[in-house]
Amino acid sequence: MDLGVKGRTAIICAASKGLGRACAEALAAEGVNLVLNARSLGPLEAAAAEIAHTHNVTVKSVAGDIGNAAVREALLAACPTPDILVNNAGGPSPGKLKNFTAEDWTKALDGNLRAPAAMLAAVLDGMAARGFGRVVNITSSVVRHPIDIQGLSAAARAGLHGLVSTLVREHVGRNVTINNILPGPFATDRLVSNFTFRAKQEGLSPEQALAARQAELPAKRFGDPVEVGSLCAYLCSAHAGYISGQSILIDGGAHPQLL
Ligand code: NAP
């Protein structure tokens, strides 16, 4: 299926690896030119070069913390008229409420709420004026299905979901959509670091904790980041103009719910 976005431009935040990188790959495979962001310059530039080479698209990179306003300005300067925005950031620290520091709160709110909010504010009117816009926010299944050590993540992301729910109707008549992807457990470095935390708590090795979790999952496997990339590309496609304000759980059936 041709997604109808060849030649369009996308900003993808937090995209040198993991789920953001998978979104970048999937959009590049459709001929979308990219501006990618991540904090570490080396891996970011390597990812940009690989994607450009593989998919024959233009890929620029802007290094820095997406929670920092100057980095967001640099991203928007590198891509002043994006057709597509994928909001993503590293996940907040796991832990217990009483142990979260002021710095933990600032980092979570800056990266997972204020940054996507600021990017939305910067791009929506221009997308509407141009008659095409697709925004996808990578959030987490934790918004629907709480995980007790992910309170910071749930708090910041629920805030973003609430904000998005107030924005959806403003520009959908101008072909601008905003949707959230809520990943369950996907095989990325983030997942491994979360299981390292859980393993310590349970007196297991990280490998034992990962194997135990996979065995519990209905799909008997973690998700492949490519699966998030494909969903993201479809939501950003020309065909998805009538899908907006949706929060799509992608978790291999891990979280029981009434359909
Ligand atoms: P990952 O494999 O660790 O990749 C994170 C990417 O984001 C890297 O490219 C990293 O590069 C970049 N990054 C991290 N913090 C950043 C920041 N403040 N500013 C700019 N770039 C930043 O993580 P992932 O699994 O893809 O997770 C992506 C998001 O999905 C996270 O918010 C995570 O909590 C959420 N999520 C993941 C899962 C899962 O199972 N994997 C499930 C639910 C939700 P640098 O380190 O160089 O910045």
Side-chain angles (χ1 to χ4, degrees):
M1 184 183 194
D2 178 349
L3 296 188
V5 285
K6 188 172 168 53
R8 293 211 177 266
T9 55
I11 295 177
I12 309 187
C13 308
S16 63
K17 61 181 182 175
L19 304 180
R21 164 88 185 244
C23 294
E25 295 275 2
L27 287 167
E30 292 297 318
V32 175
N33 297 308
L34 307 175
V35 180
L36 304 184
N37 152 261
R39 290 165 303 179
S40 313
L41 181 63
L44 177 63
E45 287 190 332
E50 278 172 36
I51 294 171
H53 178 72
T54 307
H55 302 288
N56 196 25
V57 292
T58 303
V59 186
K60 296 184 198 166
S61 48
V62 174
D65 189 328
I66 195 62
N68 178 333
V71 173
R72 295 193 294 271
E73 276 167 30
L75 260 177
L76 291 160
C79 186
T81 56
D83 302 303
I84 294 166
L85 165 66
V86 179
N87 276 319
N88 186 32
S93 316
K96 293 272 185 198
L97 176 62
K98 63 184 176 199
N99 298 328
F100 293 143
T101 63
E103 196 189 338
D104 292 332
W105 276 106
T106 301
K107 194 168 162 249
L109 294 175
D110 281 356
N112 300 98
L113 176 56
R114 290 196 185 105
M119 292 301 288
L120 277 157
V123 303
L124 288 178
D125 288 350
M127 288 175 168
R130 296 187 297 279
F132 182 94
R134 300 284 184 264
V135 181
V136 169
N137 303 304
I138 307 290
T139 68
S140 172
S141 62
V142 80
V143 173
R144 290 253 180 89
H145 300 281
I147 299 171
D148 292 351
I149 57 165
Q150 295 290 355
L152 270 184
S153 173
R157 298 182 198 282
L160 177 61
H161 280 230
L163 177 71
V164 165
S165 70
T166 69
L167 301 174
V168 169
R169 286 158 295 285
E170 190 174 351
H171 293 310
V172 71
R174 293 288 305 153
N175 194 19
V176 178
T177 69
I178 315 172
N179 292 290
N180 306 312
I181 292 180
L182 285 58
F186 275 77
T188 67
D189 290 357
R190 159 82 178 168
L191 182 101
V192 173
S193 73
N194 279 347
F195 273 88
T196 305
F197 181 88
R198 176 173 155 176
K200 255 191 218 150
Q201 284 189 321
E202 295 173 3
L204 301 170
S205 72
E207 294 73 25
Q208 286 171 319
L210 282 163
R213 180 64 179 134
Q214 286 207 73
E216 285 164 16
L217 292 171
K220 303 296 171 209
R221 67 174 177 90
F222 294 121
D224 182 334
V226 168
E227 295 169 306
V228 165
S230 302
L231 174 59
C232 176
Y234 180 72
L235 291 173
C236 295
S237 76
H239 311 298
Y242 212 57
I243 303 174
S244 196
Q246 300 303 304
S247 292
I248 301 174
L249 191 63
I250 174 166
D251 71 344
H255 299 98
Q257 56 185 358
L258 215 57
L259 297 176

